Amino acid sequence: MSDDAVLYSTQGDVGIITINNPPVNALRNAVRTGIKDGVEKFVADPAVKAIVLIGGGRTFIAGADIKEFGKPPSGPDLNSVIATMENAPKPIVAALHGTALGGGLETAFGAHYRVIAPTGKVGLPEVHLGLLPGAGGTQRLPRLMGAKAALDAILSGAHISAGKAKATGIVDEIVEGDLLTEAVKYAHKLAADKAPLKKIRDKKATLESPVLFEETEKAIARKSRGFLAPFHIIKTVKAAVELPFDQGMKRERELFQELLTSSQSAAQRFYFFAEREAAKVKDVPSDTPMREIKAAGIIGAGTMGGGIAMNFANAGIPVTVLENDQAALDRGLKTIRTNYENTARRGGMKAEDVDKRMALITPTLSYDDLKNADIIIEAVFETMEVKEQVFKKLDQVAKPGAILATNTSGLDINQIASYTKRPQDVIGMHFFSPANVMKLLENVRGKATSKDVIATVMNLSKKIGKVPVLVGVCEGFVGNRMLRQRGVQASYLIEEGATPQQVDKVLYDFGFPMGPFAMSDLAGNDVGWRIRQGKKESQQSNTRYSGYVADAICEQGRFGQKTGKGWFLYNLPDRTPIPDPEVQKIIEETSKRLGIKRREISDQEILERTLYPMVNEGAKILEEGMAQRALDIDVIWVNGYGWPVYRGGPMFWADQIGVKKIYDALNKYHEQTGDAFWKPAPLLKKLAETGGTFASL
Ligand code: 3H9
């Protein structure tokens, strides 16, 4: 049965199969069935001489229905649908618009001819879901464009423009005008001309270099570390070159199944939906009216302010950047230009666009120039006194209805809002450094922030290329609050016997791009040191102070990469961390001073002690309502802190390994140390005792 997910019609002697499965025409069972039935119906109809397959609505097929993966298979599998098309005795034309992706493009490969609208895009993005194209894509694409280009396309998962698709043989024609009308004309002519029924399977895949596969493996080794799918993709493309088509298909099927049932793909598929879900706010309906953002203002042209300004310029939104003095302003603007020029040099943007983006950024020393801004984001020094001055001033100059945002990474947004007479317009926008690169945007909702401000800022975040997550006001918000837990244990571990390089290696092997000590060296050890000094944490905290070694390191001026040494040594400009006996000496002296007898610490203990407390903190965050759902925490950690996407995020990972296991371990460490740090959160306890999961909350 195919419900009305697929519609049939005819124009003259051309049968038309229209996919009608909004929003993206994903290939759920009814769509697969409908295409197969449609082809068989038109093949059997003597009045039909050719067939057009087209997507209704905004796109051709955007791929398999990801929600069906992991469920028992039903209906015809996609390969059999494609085979039915390929073996049809009448010409089939796939007419592509929007995005023909994954299984969608593979379906189009089953057609004898492909035409595309000028704005259409194609691609095989399965790698982002921890998969490989599993319906012939790995076998047919190399036969169209050669092994090298096919490997690049499948490994990157990138969208390919209509022009490139034509140039590389993926499509036969780019058609201007109404796509259906043109496709029908094209199909009619093919039938009238008795054009050959081209089957991609009959072509041979060209191999440009005998060492292509070995070289590609080497080239992706670093970027794809820990991921299964890219390496499986190389194997399947190799099969396309070396094996007859049917055997290559068999190989593709085996490797696809292996990935489909892997925990990596489960995590990456979860993550695909998580990122989309995180953009939604439970009590802010999608039809909430939004404020119009036509111009932005940024206070501060430092690293953060400059990076934030670039996001607006990149999105075509004019932005005014304010500084206190001309020299700082000039420096800030110069850095922005240099960043753009570097991107252009590396091929990331057109050289002529550098000036276009710069033209969207207006420097100023006067608050008056912010009076037309629809949103003003403050990125100044992180003290409440400075924020108070800025927000009082903004309250005077900003136009009514302007959104007043703070980029604070830790100060109380409710207090900041209280410096204005319009707390409903105040919100936190916590960008991550470098702000022009990092995708994550923690938007922080104050207690008075109005719903239309939240809706506007969540929407604007996407427009400026960010992945937004809404969080509540609490110390460190969500990301840094959890990071702190990991940092505390990393510090204890080195005091007790581990080395910074051992701790870092355990987390690197887990999949993080770097461990906590290398990360601290990158960010600057002095940042945390100043905060600790400000807080006199050692006297306030009810758990053991964790900053002894870190303080000693900073006292010696070891601020990290910027001073050439920190937790590690650096032979700058090489940024590879090198273990330093000096640091080891400091650590051992500290252990001695604290009366701690150093011992061998296992990698497993390091993993548990650094990651389980993060899950525990995540549970507290959920209890307090500081994150909407567990998946929001996962999106924060994957996008902002390098949590490996193939492990989904800390809360998804906790569900995968078992909440009970984490709960038991927390209790064990609590008993061993008596440290309140280890007390399980009530929510974690409840889930452990009831067999619940974070996903089911
Ligand atoms: C595959 O094809 C395997 C085959 O090789 C082998 C098979 C045997 N399934 O992103 P948006 C939903 S694997 C189910 O916000 P946009 C999405 O969740 C697949 N749902 O819009 C959202 O739902 P909601 C290979 C899907 O305009 C809504 O559609 N294909 C799917 O920013 C709108 O999506 C891919 O990996 C799906 N395949 O971007 C393509 N796709 O509104 C994945 C989307 O409830 N998709 N949804 O939140 C995309 O890259 C983008 O969605 C697309 C549109 C570019 C198409």
Side-chain angles (χ1 to χ4, degrees):
M1 272 302 291
S2 78
D3 58 37
D4 59 359
V6 178
L7 308 172
Y8 310 121
S9 59
T10 51
Q11 278 187 27
D13 60 1
V14 178
I16 302 163
I17 302 173
T18 306
I19 322 292
N20 174 40
N21 186 32
V24 297
N25 288 327
L27 283 159
R28 67 182 162 95
N29 178 5
V31 174
R32 296 194 305 276
T33 308
I35 297 173
K36 197 162 187 280
D37 288 354
V39 172
E40 283 164 356
K41 169 183 149 70
F42 287 133
V43 165
D45 183 343
V48 169
K49 303 289 183 230
I51 301 167
V52 166
L53 175 69
I54 192 165
R58 63 166 152 131
T59 185
F60 189 71
I61 303 162
D65 188 336
I66 305 167
K67 291 196 181 99
E68 274 188 357
F69 290 145
K71 295 189 183 146
S74 62
D77 75 26
L78 189 53
N79 275 317
S80 75
V81 176
I82 293 168
T84 305
M85 289 171 62
E86 198 168 47
N87 295 327
K90 300 177 183 178
I92 301 183
V93 176
L96 316 179
H97 75 297
T99 40
L101 300 177
L105 182 59
E106 292 174 299
T107 305
F109 285 162
H112 306 109
Y113 294 86
R114 283 159 295 284
V115 298
I116 191 167
T119 52
K121 292 200 170 73
V122 302
L124 293 174
E126 287 85 345
V127 68
H128 300 308
L129 301 168
L131 295 171
L132 53 81
T138 66
Q139 303 306 296
R140 288 191 177 91
L141 194 60
R143 284 175 161 80
L144 284 173
M145 61 185 336
K148 178 158 184 359
L151 261 184
D152 287 349
I154 305 174
L155 286 171
S156 71
H159 292 186
I160 298 169
S161 67
K164 193 167 171 207
K166 168 83 170 70
T168 52
I170 294 176
V171 298
D172 299 280
E173 293 296 337
I174 301 176
V175 294
E176 306 276 347
D178 180 64
L179 181 64
L180 179 60
T181 311
E182 296 306 315
V184 167
K185 264 196 239 163
Y186 190 83
H188 170 76
K189 186 164 183 319
L190 289 172
D193 294 350
K194 301 217 170 352
L197 302 178
K198 292 196 294 180
K199 293 182 185 179
I200 301 170
R201 56 174 287 150
D202 295 340
K203 290 168 78 90
K204 194 162 164 33
T206 47
L207 179 62
E208 295 82 352
S209 148
V211 290
L212 174 69
F213 301 110
E214 294 80 346
E215 301 266 289
T216 308
E217 259 189 27
K218 267 191 245 153
I220 66 164
R222 201 182 148 129
K223 190 169 156 264
S224 301
R225 181 177 62 92
F227 287 91
L228 283 176
F231 300 94
H232 275 34
I233 286 169
I234 295 177
K235 288 184 198 138
T236 51
V237 174
K238 193 162 188 260
V241 171
E242 292 176 353
L243 301 177
F245 182 79
D246 288 327
Q247 280 182 40
M249 287 294 284
K250 195 164 158 269
R251 186 84 179 114
E252 180 192 87
R253 189 101 292 250
E254 286 160 8
L255 293 172
F256 177 78
Q257 281 303 333
E258 217 176 273
L259 293 176
L260 186 62
T261 50
S262 69
S263 62
Q264 290 205 351
S265 177
Q268 288 179 256
R269 282 181 275 131
F270 153 79
Y271 186 76
F272 174 85
F273 291 111
E275 205 171 87
R276 281 157 179 79
E277 194 64 20
K280 297 171 190 161
V281 182
K282 284 184 182 169
D283 65 335
V284 179
S286 56
D287 58 357
T288 304
M290 285 186 243
R291 300 187 190 182
E292 208 178 351
I293 305 293
K294 286 198 299 219
I298 312 286
I299 319 248
T303 316
M304 232 27 208
I308 298 171
M310 287 174 76
N311 293 312
F312 283 91
N314 295 347
I317 302 173
V319 55
T320 303
V321 181
L322 178 134
E323 255 298 346
N324 276 335
D325 71 277
Q326 190 65 45
L329 196 56
D330 292 346
R331 248 194 331 270
L333 268 285
K334 188 160 175 278
T335 306
I336 296 177
R337 178 174 280 281
T338 308
N339 283 341
Y340 278 139
E341 284 170 352
N342 287 342
T343 308
R345 215 182 349 268
R346 285 195 302 265
M349 65 191 275
K350 291 195 205 127
E352 62 261 34
D353 284 347
V354 173
D355 283 337
K356 282 191 200 148
R357 306 249 171 118
M358 288 308 292
L360 286 167
I361 305 175
T362 309
T364 184
L365 296 173
S366 163
Y367 268 89
D368 277 350
D369 289 335
L370 297 178
K371 60 180 185 296
N372 291 325
D374 302 299
I375 182 166
I376 303 173
I377 305 172
E378 156 284 305
V380 297
F381 200 63
E382 281 282 83
T383 68
M384 200 47 105
E385 293 70 41
V386 181
K387 307 282 180 192
E388 177 175 357
Q389 277 172 22
V390 168
F391 274 80
K392 283 188 168 157
K393 186 77 192 166
L394 283 182
D395 201 21
Q396 288 163 14
V397 297
K399 69 179 181 188
I403 296 173
L404 307 181
T406 168
N407 174 51
T408 182
S409 58
L411 296 173
D412 181 349
I413 283 161
N414 294 324
Q415 193 177 336
I416 293 177
S418 76
Y419 300 131
T420 72
K421 287 188 267 322
R422 36 176 138 173
Q424 74 282 359
D425 295 339
V426 177
I427 191 165
M429 288 176 82
H430 180 206
F431 287 84
F432 286 68
S433 188
N436 52 317
V437 176
M438 293 291 287
K439 288 266 171 213
L440 177 64
L441 187 46
E442 262 186 344
N443 291 323
V444 194
R445 170 184 205 160
K447 60 175 190 283
T449 312
S450 76
K451 289 188 181 176
D452 65 330
V453 167
I454 294 173
T456 307
V457 166
M458 292 300 276
N459 186 274
L460 174 68
S461 308
K462 284 195 271 180
K463 273 201 199 136
I464 61 171
K466 299 295 164 191
V467 175
V469 182
L470 190 69
V471 302
V473 179
C474 58
E475 178 128 11
F477 309 131
V478 170
N480 284 343
R481 178 168 161 181
M482 287 167 70
L483 180 69
R484 188 172 147 58
Q485 307 306 309
R486 191 182 81 171
V488 165
Q489 284 304 317
S491 305
Y492 289 172
L493 282 160
I494 57 168
E495 286 171 6
E496 291 170 33
T499 60
Q501 51 274 26
Q502 187 193 2
V503 173
D504 273 13
K505 181 165 187 320
V506 169
L507 290 166
Y508 178 83
D509 289 347
F510 180 80
F512 283 97
M514 63 182 85
F517 294 104
M519 189 177 119
S520 185
D521 273 353
L522 177 68
N525 300 324
D526 49 325
V527 182
W529 187 39
R530 298 229 161 81
I531 296 173
R532 287 194 300 278
Q533 283 173 327
K535 277 194 192 150
K536 301 270 180 306
E537 181 191 16
S538 52
Q539 289 139 45
Q540 284 174 8
S541 174
N542 61 349
T543 62
R544 186 175 127 200
Y545 182 58
S546 61
Y548 293 116
V549 183
D551 290 348
I553 295 267
C554 286
E555 277 153 24
Q556 297 201 0
R558 306 186 66 118
F559 293 161
Q561 287 192 15
K562 61 185 166 191
T563 55
K565 52 186 183 173
W567 290 100
F568 300 104
L569 268 182
Y570 299 88
N571 282 329
L572 294 175
D574 184 3
R575 290 166 188 275
T576 315
I578 305 162
D580 186 352
E582 282 292 311
V583 170
Q584 195 52 30
K585 216 169 104 207
I586 297 174
I587 295 171
E588 284 171 19
E589 277 166 12
T590 308
S591 306
K592 203 159 155 203
R593 188 158 55 84
L594 296 174
I596 298 172
K597 191 169 165 342
R598 294 180 67 79
R599 64 184 167 90
E600 223 14 59
I601 296 186
S602 73
D603 289 354
Q604 180 61 24
E605 180 174 341
I606 291 175
L607 200 72
E608 291 179 4
R609 284 181 54 183
T610 49
L611 299 188
Y612 290 0
M614 284 176 45
V615 174
N616 198 34
E617 197 65 24
K620 291 180 196 165
I621 285 167
L622 288 171
E623 271 162 7
E624 295 165 22
M626 294 297 153
Q628 297 189 76
R629 300 148 289 226
L631 66 85
D632 296 70
I633 298 177
D634 291 329
V635 172
I636 287 173
W637 268 80
V638 168
N639 266 296
Y641 298 84
W643 184 284
V645 65
Y646 59 78
R647 296 191 198 271
M651 311 316 276
F652 178 87
W653 175 73
D655 280 349
Q656 272 197 332
I657 64 170
V659 176
K660 171 98 171 42
K661 187 168 162 192
I662 295 177
Y663 174 71
D664 289 345
L666 290 173
N667 280 327
K668 176 187 81 182
Y669 290 121
H670 191 212
E671 270 165 38
Q672 276 174 12
T673 61
D675 192 339
F677 177 95
W678 289 109
K679 225 172 149 357
L683 175 62
L684 194 85
K685 180 170 191 287
K686 190 178 112 200
L687 292 179
E689 285 173 354
T690 57
T693 60
F694 288 110
S696 64
L697 288 175

